[in-house]
Amino acid sequence: MFHSGKAIVAIQTKLGISCSDLSQQLDVAPNQVVRWRQSKDIKMSVALKICAIADIKVTDFINMGS
């Protein structure tokens, strides 16, 4: 089963970026990224933005959370 939070954690680990760094790039509060990390699902628009930041395909994002 897909878990978006696990994918976000994997991306942050791969890129070596903190919640604060990612939140700045997404123009959201750092606590929002913390919530997303704990969530099983997020909006597709957010997932696409994260994929763009990480320079990965959506399928890679899904695989990271599986």
Side-chain angles (χ1 to χ4, degrees):
M1 173 158 264
F2 173 70
H3 191 288
S4 62
K6 289 180 183 179
I8 293 170
V9 170
I11 288 169
Q12 286 183 271
T13 302
K14 178 183 173 187
L15 298 177
I17 60 173
S18 67
C19 289
S20 180
D21 295 335
L22 184 57
S23 71
Q24 287 177 341
Q25 293 182 46
L26 293 169
D27 196 29
V28 297
N31 62 343
Q32 182 61 54
V33 174
V34 172
R35 278 183 254 157
W36 288 333
R37 287 171 53 115
Q38 298 170 357
S39 178
K40 291 183 180 182
D41 59 357
I42 58 174
K43 292 182 178 180
M44 181 57 93
S45 60
V46 174
L48 292 173
K49 288 178 185 177
I50 293 171
C51 290
I53 289 167
D55 194 28
I56 62 171
K57 297 176 184 178
V58 175
T59 53
D60 295 331
F61 181 80
I62 292 169
N63 289 335
M64 288 177 166
S66 295

